[in-house]
Short mmCIF file of all heavy atoms in Angstrom, two decimals:
data_model
loop_
_atom_site.label_atom_id
_atom_site.label_comp_id
_atom_site.label_asym_id
_atom_site.label_seq_id
_atom_site.Cartn_x
_atom_site.Cartn_y
_atom_site.Cartn_z
N MET A 1 -9.03 5.83 -13.08
CA MET A 1 -7.83 5.55 -12.32
C MET A 1 -7.42 4.10 -12.59
O MET A 1 -8.22 3.20 -12.46
CB MET A 1 -8.08 5.77 -10.82
CG MET A 1 -6.93 5.36 -9.97
SD MET A 1 -7.07 5.81 -8.22
CE MET A 1 -8.56 5.05 -7.72
N THR A 2 -6.17 3.89 -12.94
CA THR A 2 -5.62 2.57 -13.18
C THR A 2 -4.71 2.21 -12.02
O THR A 2 -3.91 3.03 -11.59
CB THR A 2 -4.80 2.56 -14.47
OG1 THR A 2 -5.61 3.02 -15.53
CG2 THR A 2 -4.27 1.19 -14.79
N THR A 3 -4.82 0.97 -11.49
CA THR A 3 -3.92 0.56 -10.42
C THR A 3 -3.04 -0.58 -10.89
O THR A 3 -3.46 -1.42 -11.67
CB THR A 3 -4.69 0.12 -9.16
OG1 THR A 3 -5.54 -0.97 -9.50
CG2 THR A 3 -5.49 1.24 -8.57
N ILE A 4 -1.83 -0.58 -10.40
CA ILE A 4 -0.85 -1.59 -10.75
C ILE A 4 -0.29 -2.15 -9.44
O ILE A 4 0.31 -1.42 -8.65
CB ILE A 4 0.31 -0.97 -11.56
CG1 ILE A 4 -0.26 -0.24 -12.77
CG2 ILE A 4 1.32 -2.02 -11.95
CD1 ILE A 4 0.65 0.80 -13.34
N GLU A 5 -0.53 -3.45 -9.17
CA GLU A 5 0.02 -4.04 -7.94
C GLU A 5 1.50 -4.29 -8.15
O GLU A 5 1.91 -4.79 -9.20
CB GLU A 5 -0.70 -5.34 -7.60
CG GLU A 5 -0.29 -5.86 -6.25
CD GLU A 5 -1.23 -6.91 -5.70
OE1 GLU A 5 -2.40 -6.93 -6.07
OE2 GLU A 5 -0.75 -7.72 -4.90
N THR A 6 2.30 -3.95 -7.17
CA THR A 6 3.74 -4.02 -7.36
C THR A 6 4.48 -4.86 -6.35
O THR A 6 5.51 -5.41 -6.68
CB THR A 6 4.34 -2.61 -7.36
OG1 THR A 6 4.00 -1.98 -6.13
CG2 THR A 6 3.84 -1.79 -8.52
N ALA A 7 4.00 -4.98 -5.12
CA ALA A 7 4.75 -5.71 -4.09
C ALA A 7 3.85 -6.07 -2.93
O ALA A 7 2.79 -5.48 -2.74
CB ALA A 7 5.91 -4.86 -3.59
N THR A 8 4.31 -7.05 -2.16
CA THR A 8 3.62 -7.44 -0.93
C THR A 8 4.66 -7.58 0.18
O THR A 8 5.70 -8.19 -0.03
CB THR A 8 2.88 -8.78 -1.11
OG1 THR A 8 1.89 -8.63 -2.12
CG2 THR A 8 2.20 -9.22 0.18
N TYR A 9 4.37 -6.98 1.33
CA TYR A 9 5.20 -7.14 2.51
C TYR A 9 4.38 -7.87 3.56
O TYR A 9 3.17 -7.69 3.64
CB TYR A 9 5.63 -5.79 3.08
CG TYR A 9 6.55 -5.00 2.18
CD1 TYR A 9 6.24 -3.70 1.82
CD2 TYR A 9 7.72 -5.55 1.71
CE1 TYR A 9 7.08 -2.96 1.01
CE2 TYR A 9 8.57 -4.81 0.89
CZ TYR A 9 8.24 -3.52 0.55
OH TYR A 9 9.06 -2.80 -0.24
N ARG A 10 5.06 -8.67 4.39
CA ARG A 10 4.36 -9.43 5.43
C ARG A 10 5.11 -9.36 6.75
O ARG A 10 6.33 -9.29 6.78
CB ARG A 10 4.25 -10.90 5.04
CG ARG A 10 3.38 -11.18 3.86
CD ARG A 10 3.35 -12.68 3.55
NE ARG A 10 2.63 -12.93 2.34
CZ ARG A 10 1.32 -13.10 2.24
NH1 ARG A 10 0.58 -13.03 3.31
NH2 ARG A 10 0.75 -13.34 1.08
N THR A 11 4.32 -9.39 7.82
CA THR A 11 4.85 -9.65 9.15
C THR A 11 4.15 -10.92 9.60
O THR A 11 3.47 -11.57 8.82
CB THR A 11 4.56 -8.49 10.13
OG1 THR A 11 3.15 -8.38 10.31
CG2 THR A 11 5.14 -7.18 9.63
N GLU A 12 4.25 -11.23 10.86
CA GLU A 12 3.63 -12.46 11.34
C GLU A 12 2.12 -12.46 11.14
O GLU A 12 1.54 -13.49 10.77
CB GLU A 12 3.96 -12.65 12.83
CG GLU A 12 3.46 -13.97 13.37
CD GLU A 12 3.88 -14.19 14.81
OE1 GLU A 12 4.75 -13.45 15.32
OE2 GLU A 12 3.33 -15.11 15.43
N HIS A 13 1.46 -11.34 11.35
CA HIS A 13 0.00 -11.30 11.29
C HIS A 13 -0.56 -10.31 10.26
O HIS A 13 -1.77 -10.26 10.07
CB HIS A 13 -0.59 -10.93 12.66
CG HIS A 13 -0.25 -11.92 13.72
ND1 HIS A 13 -0.78 -13.18 13.76
CD2 HIS A 13 0.60 -11.84 14.77
CE1 HIS A 13 -0.29 -13.84 14.80
NE2 HIS A 13 0.55 -13.04 15.44
N TRP A 14 0.28 -9.52 9.65
CA TRP A 14 -0.20 -8.48 8.76
C TRP A 14 0.39 -8.62 7.36
O TRP A 14 1.52 -9.08 7.20
CB TRP A 14 0.18 -7.09 9.30
CG TRP A 14 -0.55 -6.75 10.55
CD1 TRP A 14 -0.14 -6.97 11.83
CD2 TRP A 14 -1.83 -6.13 10.65
NE1 TRP A 14 -1.08 -6.53 12.72
CE2 TRP A 14 -2.14 -6.00 12.02
CE3 TRP A 14 -2.75 -5.66 9.72
CZ2 TRP A 14 -3.31 -5.44 12.48
CZ3 TRP A 14 -3.92 -5.09 10.18
CH2 TRP A 14 -4.19 -4.98 11.54
N ARG A 15 -0.39 -8.20 6.37
CA ARG A 15 0.07 -8.16 4.98
C ARG A 15 -0.20 -6.77 4.43
O ARG A 15 -1.29 -6.22 4.62
CB ARG A 15 -0.68 -9.20 4.15
CG ARG A 15 -0.19 -9.26 2.71
CD ARG A 15 -0.93 -10.29 1.92
NE ARG A 15 -2.15 -9.66 1.40
CZ ARG A 15 -3.28 -10.31 1.19
NH1 ARG A 15 -3.40 -11.59 1.49
NH2 ARG A 15 -4.32 -9.68 0.69
N ALA A 16 0.77 -6.22 3.74
CA ALA A 16 0.61 -4.91 3.10
C ALA A 16 0.87 -5.10 1.61
O ALA A 16 1.99 -5.44 1.20
CB ALA A 16 1.59 -3.90 3.69
N ASP A 17 -0.15 -4.92 0.80
CA ASP A 17 -0.02 -4.98 -0.65
C ASP A 17 0.18 -3.56 -1.15
O ASP A 17 -0.59 -2.67 -0.82
CB ASP A 17 -1.27 -5.58 -1.29
CG ASP A 17 -1.48 -7.05 -0.93
OD1 ASP A 17 -0.48 -7.75 -0.68
OD2 ASP A 17 -2.65 -7.49 -0.88
N ILE A 18 1.23 -3.37 -1.92
CA ILE A 18 1.59 -2.05 -2.41
C ILE A 18 1.09 -1.91 -3.84
O ILE A 18 1.29 -2.80 -4.67
CB ILE A 18 3.11 -1.89 -2.41
CG1 ILE A 18 3.65 -2.29 -1.08
CG2 ILE A 18 3.51 -0.52 -2.91
CD1 ILE A 18 4.25 -1.33 -0.22
N GLN A 19 0.45 -0.81 -4.12
CA GLN A 19 -0.03 -0.53 -5.46
C GLN A 19 0.28 0.91 -5.83
O GLN A 19 0.48 1.75 -4.96
CB GLN A 19 -1.55 -0.74 -5.57
CG GLN A 19 -1.99 -2.16 -5.35
CD GLN A 19 -3.48 -2.32 -5.53
OE1 GLN A 19 -4.23 -1.36 -5.62
NE2 GLN A 19 -3.91 -3.56 -5.60
N VAL A 20 0.31 1.14 -7.12
CA VAL A 20 0.47 2.50 -7.64
C VAL A 20 -0.75 2.78 -8.51
O VAL A 20 -1.11 1.97 -9.36
CB VAL A 20 1.77 2.65 -8.45
CG1 VAL A 20 1.82 4.01 -9.12
CG2 VAL A 20 2.98 2.44 -7.56
N ALA A 21 -1.40 3.89 -8.27
CA ALA A 21 -2.58 4.27 -9.04
C ALA A 21 -2.20 5.42 -9.98
O ALA A 21 -1.55 6.37 -9.57
CB ALA A 21 -3.70 4.72 -8.11
N GLU A 22 -2.61 5.28 -11.23
CA GLU A 22 -2.45 6.39 -12.17
C GLU A 22 -3.74 7.20 -12.10
O GLU A 22 -4.83 6.69 -12.35
CB GLU A 22 -2.21 5.89 -13.59
CG GLU A 22 -1.98 7.04 -14.55
CD GLU A 22 -1.60 6.57 -15.94
OE1 GLU A 22 -1.54 5.35 -16.19
OE2 GLU A 22 -1.38 7.45 -16.79
N LEU A 23 -3.60 8.45 -11.74
CA LEU A 23 -4.75 9.33 -11.58
C LEU A 23 -5.16 9.91 -12.93
O LEU A 23 -4.40 9.89 -13.90
CB LEU A 23 -4.40 10.44 -10.59
CG LEU A 23 -3.88 9.96 -9.22
CD1 LEU A 23 -3.43 11.16 -8.40
CD2 LEU A 23 -4.92 9.14 -8.50
N GLU A 24 -6.36 10.44 -12.98
CA GLU A 24 -6.86 11.04 -14.23
C GLU A 24 -5.98 12.19 -14.70
O GLU A 24 -5.91 12.48 -15.88
CB GLU A 24 -8.30 11.51 -14.04
CG GLU A 24 -9.29 10.37 -13.92
CD GLU A 24 -10.72 10.85 -13.78
OE1 GLU A 24 -11.00 12.02 -14.08
OE2 GLU A 24 -11.56 10.03 -13.38
N SER A 25 -5.29 12.81 -13.78
CA SER A 25 -4.39 13.93 -14.11
C SER A 25 -3.11 13.47 -14.80
O SER A 25 -2.34 14.30 -15.26
CB SER A 25 -4.03 14.69 -12.83
OG SER A 25 -3.25 13.85 -11.98
N GLY A 26 -2.88 12.14 -14.83
CA GLY A 26 -1.65 11.62 -15.40
C GLY A 26 -0.55 11.46 -14.37
O GLY A 26 0.52 10.95 -14.67
N LYS A 27 -0.81 11.89 -13.13
CA LYS A 27 0.16 11.71 -12.05
C LYS A 27 -0.09 10.36 -11.39
O LYS A 27 -1.07 9.68 -11.68
CB LYS A 27 0.04 12.85 -11.05
CG LYS A 27 0.35 14.20 -11.68
CD LYS A 27 0.88 15.15 -10.67
CE LYS A 27 1.14 16.49 -11.33
NZ LYS A 27 2.56 16.76 -11.41
N PHE A 28 0.77 9.98 -10.45
CA PHE A 28 0.70 8.68 -9.80
C PHE A 28 0.64 8.85 -8.28
O PHE A 28 1.25 9.77 -7.73
CB PHE A 28 1.92 7.84 -10.17
CG PHE A 28 2.00 7.56 -11.64
CD1 PHE A 28 2.66 8.44 -12.49
CD2 PHE A 28 1.41 6.43 -12.18
CE1 PHE A 28 2.75 8.19 -13.85
CE2 PHE A 28 1.48 6.17 -13.53
CZ PHE A 28 2.15 7.05 -14.37
N GLN A 29 -0.09 7.95 -7.63
CA GLN A 29 -0.18 7.97 -6.17
C GLN A 29 -0.01 6.55 -5.65
O GLN A 29 -0.59 5.60 -6.17
CB GLN A 29 -1.53 8.52 -5.71
CG GLN A 29 -1.63 8.68 -4.21
CD GLN A 29 -2.91 9.38 -3.79
OE1 GLN A 29 -3.93 9.27 -4.45
NE2 GLN A 29 -2.85 10.12 -2.70
N GLY A 30 0.81 6.42 -4.60
CA GLY A 30 1.02 5.12 -3.98
C GLY A 30 -0.12 4.79 -3.03
O GLY A 30 -0.72 5.67 -2.42
N MET A 31 -0.41 3.48 -2.94
CA MET A 31 -1.45 3.00 -2.03
C MET A 31 -0.94 1.77 -1.30
O MET A 31 -0.17 0.98 -1.86
CB MET A 31 -2.72 2.63 -2.80
CG MET A 31 -3.35 3.77 -3.53
SD MET A 31 -4.95 3.34 -4.29
CE MET A 31 -4.58 1.89 -5.22
N VAL A 32 -1.39 1.59 -0.07
CA VAL A 32 -1.08 0.41 0.71
C VAL A 32 -2.40 -0.21 1.15
O VAL A 32 -3.22 0.46 1.78
CB VAL A 32 -0.22 0.76 1.96
CG1 VAL A 32 0.02 -0.48 2.79
CG2 VAL A 32 1.08 1.42 1.54
N LEU A 33 -2.61 -1.46 0.77
CA LEU A 33 -3.80 -2.20 1.19
C LEU A 33 -3.36 -3.06 2.37
O LEU A 33 -2.55 -3.99 2.22
CB LEU A 33 -4.34 -3.07 0.06
CG LEU A 33 -5.00 -2.31 -1.08
CD1 LEU A 33 -4.00 -1.53 -1.89
CD2 LEU A 33 -5.79 -3.23 -1.95
N LEU A 34 -3.85 -2.75 3.55
CA LEU A 34 -3.42 -3.40 4.79
C LEU A 34 -4.47 -4.41 5.23
O LEU A 34 -5.65 -4.08 5.34
CB LEU A 34 -3.21 -2.34 5.87
CG LEU A 34 -2.54 -2.79 7.15
CD1 LEU A 34 -1.12 -3.27 6.88
CD2 LEU A 34 -2.53 -1.64 8.15
N LEU A 35 -4.01 -5.64 5.50
CA LEU A 35 -4.93 -6.71 5.89
C LEU A 35 -4.32 -7.53 7.02
O LEU A 35 -3.15 -7.91 6.95
CB LEU A 35 -5.20 -7.63 4.70
CG LEU A 35 -6.05 -8.86 4.96
CD1 LEU A 35 -7.49 -8.44 5.27
CD2 LEU A 35 -6.03 -9.79 3.77
N HIS A 36 -5.11 -7.79 8.05
CA HIS A 36 -4.69 -8.67 9.12
C HIS A 36 -4.95 -10.10 8.66
O HIS A 36 -6.08 -10.44 8.30
CB HIS A 36 -5.47 -8.37 10.41
CG HIS A 36 -4.98 -9.11 11.60
ND1 HIS A 36 -5.31 -10.43 11.84
CD2 HIS A 36 -4.16 -8.72 12.61
CE1 HIS A 36 -4.72 -10.82 12.97
NE2 HIS A 36 -4.02 -9.80 13.45
N GLU A 37 -3.91 -10.93 8.63
CA GLU A 37 -4.05 -12.31 8.18
C GLU A 37 -5.09 -13.04 9.05
O GLU A 37 -5.12 -12.87 10.24
CB GLU A 37 -2.71 -13.05 8.25
CG GLU A 37 -1.65 -12.46 7.36
CD GLU A 37 -1.84 -12.75 5.88
OE1 GLU A 37 -2.79 -13.45 5.50
OE2 GLU A 37 -1.02 -12.27 5.09
N GLY A 38 -5.94 -13.81 8.42
CA GLY A 38 -6.95 -14.57 9.13
C GLY A 38 -8.28 -13.84 9.25
O GLY A 38 -9.27 -14.42 9.68
N ARG A 39 -8.31 -12.59 8.89
CA ARG A 39 -9.56 -11.83 8.92
C ARG A 39 -10.12 -11.73 7.51
O ARG A 39 -9.38 -11.83 6.53
CB ARG A 39 -9.33 -10.43 9.49
CG ARG A 39 -9.00 -10.47 10.97
CD ARG A 39 -9.07 -9.11 11.57
NE ARG A 39 -8.68 -9.15 12.96
CZ ARG A 39 -8.28 -8.10 13.64
NH1 ARG A 39 -8.20 -6.92 13.06
NH2 ARG A 39 -7.93 -8.21 14.90
N PRO A 40 -11.41 -11.47 7.38
CA PRO A 40 -12.02 -11.38 6.05
C PRO A 40 -11.41 -10.25 5.23
O PRO A 40 -11.02 -9.21 5.76
CB PRO A 40 -13.49 -11.10 6.33
CG PRO A 40 -13.70 -11.38 7.77
CD PRO A 40 -12.38 -11.30 8.45
N ILE A 41 -11.35 -10.46 3.94
CA ILE A 41 -10.81 -9.46 3.02
C ILE A 41 -11.61 -8.15 3.09
O ILE A 41 -11.09 -7.08 2.82
CB ILE A 41 -10.74 -10.01 1.58
CG1 ILE A 41 -9.85 -9.13 0.70
CG2 ILE A 41 -12.10 -10.11 0.96
CD1 ILE A 41 -8.42 -9.41 0.82
N SER A 42 -12.86 -8.25 3.52
CA SER A 42 -13.70 -7.05 3.64
C SER A 42 -13.19 -6.09 4.72
O SER A 42 -13.56 -4.93 4.74
CB SER A 42 -15.15 -7.44 3.94
OG SER A 42 -15.23 -8.14 5.17
N GLU A 43 -12.32 -6.58 5.60
CA GLU A 43 -11.75 -5.73 6.65
C GLU A 43 -10.45 -5.06 6.21
O GLU A 43 -9.78 -4.41 6.99
CB GLU A 43 -11.52 -6.54 7.91
CG GLU A 43 -12.81 -7.00 8.57
CD GLU A 43 -12.58 -7.70 9.89
OE1 GLU A 43 -11.49 -7.55 10.50
OE2 GLU A 43 -13.49 -8.42 10.31
N GLN A 44 -10.11 -5.22 4.95
CA GLN A 44 -8.90 -4.60 4.41
C GLN A 44 -9.05 -3.09 4.42
O GLN A 44 -10.09 -2.55 4.09
CB GLN A 44 -8.70 -5.10 2.98
CG GLN A 44 -7.53 -4.51 2.28
CD GLN A 44 -7.35 -5.19 0.95
OE1 GLN A 44 -6.83 -6.28 0.90
NE2 GLN A 44 -7.76 -4.55 -0.12
N ALA A 45 -7.99 -2.40 4.82
CA ALA A 45 -8.00 -0.94 4.85
C ALA A 45 -7.06 -0.42 3.77
O ALA A 45 -5.95 -0.92 3.61
CB ALA A 45 -7.55 -0.45 6.22
N VAL A 46 -7.50 0.59 3.04
CA VAL A 46 -6.70 1.20 1.99
C VAL A 46 -6.15 2.53 2.50
O VAL A 46 -6.89 3.37 3.00
CB VAL A 46 -7.53 1.43 0.71
CG1 VAL A 46 -6.69 2.12 -0.35
CG2 VAL A 46 -8.10 0.13 0.20
N HIS A 47 -4.84 2.70 2.38
CA HIS A 47 -4.18 3.93 2.79
C HIS A 47 -3.45 4.50 1.58
O HIS A 47 -2.74 3.77 0.89
CB HIS A 47 -3.17 3.65 3.92
CG HIS A 47 -3.79 3.03 5.11
ND1 HIS A 47 -4.30 3.77 6.15
CD2 HIS A 47 -4.01 1.74 5.44
CE1 HIS A 47 -4.79 2.95 7.07
NE2 HIS A 47 -4.63 1.72 6.65
N ARG A 48 -3.63 5.78 1.34
CA ARG A 48 -2.97 6.45 0.21
C ARG A 48 -1.83 7.31 0.73
O ARG A 48 -1.91 7.88 1.82
CB ARG A 48 -3.96 7.33 -0.54
CG ARG A 48 -5.06 6.55 -1.20
CD ARG A 48 -6.01 7.48 -1.93
NE ARG A 48 -7.05 6.73 -2.59
CZ ARG A 48 -6.98 6.26 -3.83
NH1 ARG A 48 -5.90 6.50 -4.55
NH2 ARG A 48 -7.96 5.59 -4.36
N THR A 49 -0.78 7.41 -0.06
CA THR A 49 0.31 8.30 0.32
C THR A 49 -0.19 9.73 0.27
O THR A 49 -1.12 10.05 -0.46
CB THR A 49 1.52 8.12 -0.63
OG1 THR A 49 1.10 8.38 -1.96
CG2 THR A 49 2.11 6.73 -0.53
N GLY A 50 0.43 10.59 1.03
CA GLY A 50 0.00 11.98 1.09
C GLY A 50 0.30 12.77 -0.17
O GLY A 50 -0.40 13.71 -0.50
N ASP A 51 1.34 12.38 -0.88
CA ASP A 51 1.76 13.12 -2.06
C ASP A 51 1.48 12.32 -3.33
O ASP A 51 1.39 11.09 -3.29
CB ASP A 51 3.26 13.41 -2.00
CG ASP A 51 3.61 14.34 -0.84
OD1 ASP A 51 2.79 15.22 -0.52
OD2 ASP A 51 4.69 14.17 -0.27
N VAL A 52 1.37 13.01 -4.42
CA VAL A 52 1.31 12.37 -5.73
C VAL A 52 2.65 12.61 -6.42
O VAL A 52 3.39 13.53 -6.06
CB VAL A 52 0.15 12.90 -6.60
CG1 VAL A 52 -1.19 12.55 -5.97
CG2 VAL A 52 0.25 14.38 -6.83
N SER A 53 2.96 11.79 -7.40
CA SER A 53 4.26 11.86 -8.07
C SER A 53 4.06 11.96 -9.57
O SER A 53 3.07 11.50 -10.12
CB SER A 53 5.05 10.59 -7.73
OG SER A 53 6.28 10.58 -8.40
N ASP A 54 5.06 12.53 -10.22
CA ASP A 54 5.04 12.60 -11.67
C ASP A 54 5.36 11.25 -12.31
O ASP A 54 5.05 11.03 -13.48
CB ASP A 54 6.06 13.62 -12.17
CG ASP A 54 5.66 15.05 -11.82
OD1 ASP A 54 4.44 15.33 -11.69
OD2 ASP A 54 6.56 15.90 -11.66
N THR A 55 5.99 10.34 -11.53
CA THR A 55 6.39 9.05 -12.08
C THR A 55 5.83 7.90 -11.25
O THR A 55 5.59 8.04 -10.05
CB THR A 55 7.92 8.91 -12.11
OG1 THR A 55 8.41 8.90 -10.75
CG2 THR A 55 8.58 10.05 -12.88
N GLN A 56 5.69 6.77 -11.91
CA GLN A 56 5.24 5.56 -11.22
C GLN A 56 6.27 5.13 -10.18
O GLN A 56 5.92 4.71 -9.08
CB GLN A 56 5.03 4.45 -12.25
CG GLN A 56 4.47 3.18 -11.67
CD GLN A 56 4.19 2.15 -12.75
OE1 GLN A 56 4.19 2.45 -13.94
NE2 GLN A 56 3.94 0.95 -12.34
N GLU A 57 7.54 5.27 -10.52
CA GLU A 57 8.61 4.87 -9.61
C GLU A 57 8.61 5.72 -8.34
O GLU A 57 8.82 5.21 -7.24
CB GLU A 57 9.98 4.99 -10.30
CG GLU A 57 10.17 4.02 -11.44
CD GLU A 57 9.50 4.46 -12.74
OE1 GLU A 57 9.14 5.66 -12.89
OE2 GLU A 57 9.30 3.60 -13.62
N GLY A 58 8.37 7.02 -8.47
CA GLY A 58 8.31 7.89 -7.30
C GLY A 58 7.16 7.52 -6.38
O GLY A 58 7.30 7.49 -5.16
N ALA A 59 6.01 7.21 -6.97
CA ALA A 59 4.85 6.80 -6.17
C ALA A 59 5.11 5.46 -5.49
O ALA A 59 4.69 5.24 -4.35
CB ALA A 59 3.61 6.72 -7.05
N LEU A 60 5.81 4.56 -6.18
CA LEU A 60 6.15 3.26 -5.60
C LEU A 60 7.04 3.42 -4.39
O LEU A 60 6.82 2.79 -3.35
CB LEU A 60 6.83 2.39 -6.66
CG LEU A 60 7.32 1.03 -6.21
CD1 LEU A 60 6.17 0.17 -5.72
CD2 LEU A 60 8.06 0.34 -7.35
N VAL A 61 8.03 4.27 -4.47
CA VAL A 61 8.93 4.52 -3.33
C VAL A 61 8.14 5.04 -2.15
O VAL A 61 8.31 4.57 -1.01
CB VAL A 61 10.06 5.49 -3.72
CG1 VAL A 61 10.82 5.98 -2.49
CG2 VAL A 61 11.00 4.84 -4.72
N GLU A 62 7.26 5.99 -2.37
CA GLU A 62 6.45 6.54 -1.28
C GLU A 62 5.55 5.48 -0.67
O GLU A 62 5.36 5.44 0.55
CB GLU A 62 5.63 7.72 -1.77
CG GLU A 62 6.49 8.93 -2.07
CD GLU A 62 5.69 10.19 -2.23
OE1 GLU A 62 4.61 10.29 -1.63
OE2 GLU A 62 6.15 11.08 -2.97
N ALA A 63 4.98 4.60 -1.48
CA ALA A 63 4.11 3.54 -0.97
C ALA A 63 4.92 2.54 -0.14
O ALA A 63 4.45 2.07 0.90
CB ALA A 63 3.41 2.84 -2.12
N LYS A 64 6.13 2.22 -0.57
CA LYS A 64 6.97 1.30 0.19
C LYS A 64 7.33 1.89 1.55
O LYS A 64 7.31 1.19 2.57
CB LYS A 64 8.24 0.97 -0.59
CG LYS A 64 7.99 0.04 -1.75
CD LYS A 64 9.28 -0.27 -2.49
CE LYS A 64 9.06 -1.25 -3.61
NZ LYS A 64 10.31 -1.58 -4.32
N VAL A 65 7.65 3.17 1.58
CA VAL A 65 7.96 3.84 2.85
C VAL A 65 6.75 3.79 3.78
O VAL A 65 6.87 3.46 4.96
CB VAL A 65 8.42 5.29 2.60
CG1 VAL A 65 8.47 6.08 3.90
CG2 VAL A 65 9.76 5.31 1.89
N LEU A 66 5.58 4.09 3.24
CA LEU A 66 4.35 4.06 4.04
C LEU A 66 4.08 2.66 4.57
O LEU A 66 3.76 2.48 5.74
CB LEU A 66 3.17 4.57 3.22
CG LEU A 66 1.81 4.55 3.91
CD1 LEU A 66 1.80 5.42 5.16
CD2 LEU A 66 0.71 5.00 2.93
N ALA A 67 4.21 1.64 3.73
CA ALA A 67 3.96 0.26 4.16
C ALA A 67 4.92 -0.16 5.27
O ALA A 67 4.50 -0.75 6.27
CB ALA A 67 4.07 -0.69 2.97
N ASN A 68 6.20 0.14 5.09
CA ASN A 68 7.17 -0.23 6.10
C ASN A 68 6.91 0.48 7.42
O ASN A 68 7.03 -0.12 8.49
CB ASN A 68 8.60 0.06 5.61
CG ASN A 68 9.07 -0.99 4.65
OD1 ASN A 68 9.00 -2.17 4.93
ND2 ASN A 68 9.55 -0.57 3.50
N ARG A 69 6.52 1.75 7.35
CA ARG A 69 6.22 2.49 8.59
C ARG A 69 4.99 1.89 9.28
O ARG A 69 4.99 1.69 10.48
CB ARG A 69 5.99 3.97 8.27
CG ARG A 69 5.80 4.81 9.53
CD ARG A 69 5.48 6.20 9.18
NE ARG A 69 4.28 6.11 8.33
CZ ARG A 69 3.42 7.08 8.15
NH1 ARG A 69 3.62 8.24 8.68
NH2 ARG A 69 2.37 6.93 7.40
N MET A 70 3.95 1.59 8.50
CA MET A 70 2.73 1.05 9.09
C MET A 70 2.97 -0.32 9.70
O MET A 70 2.53 -0.59 10.83
CB MET A 70 1.62 0.97 8.02
CG MET A 70 1.14 2.32 7.57
SD MET A 70 0.05 2.25 6.14
CE MET A 70 -1.26 1.25 6.75
N LEU A 71 3.67 -1.20 9.00
CA LEU A 71 3.95 -2.52 9.54
C LEU A 71 4.85 -2.44 10.74
O LEU A 71 4.70 -3.21 11.70
CB LEU A 71 4.57 -3.42 8.46
CG LEU A 71 3.61 -3.85 7.35
CD1 LEU A 71 4.36 -4.61 6.28
CD2 LEU A 71 2.44 -4.66 7.88
N GLY A 72 5.79 -1.50 10.75
CA GLY A 72 6.66 -1.31 11.90
C GLY A 72 5.89 -0.89 13.14
O GLY A 72 6.20 -1.32 14.25
N GLU A 73 4.87 -0.07 12.95
CA GLU A 73 4.04 0.38 14.07
C GLU A 73 3.16 -0.75 14.60
O GLU A 73 2.83 -0.79 15.78
CB GLU A 73 3.19 1.56 13.66
CG GLU A 73 3.99 2.83 13.42
CD GLU A 73 3.16 3.96 12.86
OE1 GLU A 73 1.95 3.80 12.64
OE2 GLU A 73 3.73 5.04 12.61
N LEU A 74 2.79 -1.69 13.73
CA LEU A 74 1.91 -2.79 14.13
C LEU A 74 2.69 -3.95 14.73
O LEU A 74 2.14 -4.78 15.42
CB LEU A 74 1.11 -3.30 12.93
CG LEU A 74 0.10 -2.31 12.35
CD1 LEU A 74 -0.42 -2.81 11.02
CD2 LEU A 74 -1.04 -2.11 13.34
N TRP A 75 3.97 -4.04 14.43
CA TRP A 75 4.79 -5.17 14.84
C TRP A 75 4.95 -5.20 16.30
O TRP A 75 4.87 -4.93 17.26
CB TRP A 75 6.14 -5.08 14.15
CG TRP A 75 7.01 -6.23 14.49
CD1 TRP A 75 8.07 -6.21 15.33
CD2 TRP A 75 6.94 -7.57 14.00
NE1 TRP A 75 8.67 -7.43 15.39
CE2 TRP A 75 7.97 -8.30 14.58
CE3 TRP A 75 6.09 -8.23 13.15
CZ2 TRP A 75 8.20 -9.65 14.32
CZ3 TRP A 75 6.30 -9.55 12.88
CH2 TRP A 75 7.35 -10.26 13.46
#
């Protein structure tokens, strides 16, 4: 699996790093690495989108939606 970091979103206390992973099947899946600022990196949580996509762009869109929803819930 290959991952490509694509974007970072921030709120006052949270950071969401968006990545796209290329799966062995050749499909792509979005991931959000969620971290509370000021806490150790070891407390980072990885969340994967529910769907996989045929394109990197499709997986990126899904990851952005997931990140925005998660940060909105934490805000």
Side-chain angles (χ1 to χ4, degrees):
M1 174 172 57
T2 305
T3 59
I4 306 159
E5 188 164 334
T6 57
T8 298
Y9 294 126
R10 294 179 186 274
T11 64
E12 186 175 347
H13 298 290
W14 292 92
R15 183 180 86 211
D17 294 330
I18 310 246
Q19 296 183 348
V20 173
E22 183 174 2
L23 306 174
E24 289 182 17
S25 65
K27 298 208 181 250
F28 298 88
Q29 185 173 30
M31 298 186 308
V32 177
L33 289 70
L34 190 63
L35 176 68
H36 187 280
E37 298 286 358
R39 291 192 184 160
I41 195 83
S42 61
E43 292 185 19
Q44 178 174 282
V46 178
H47 302 270
R48 295 180 179 270
T49 58
D51 295 326
V52 296
S53 177
D54 291 332
T55 66
Q56 184 176 348
E57 294 80 17
L60 176 61
V61 168
E62 290 194 28
K64 286 180 177 182
V65 168
L66 178 60
N68 283 308
R69 185 184 57 157
M70 291 171 60
L71 290 174
E73 290 173 0
L74 294 168
W75 182 255

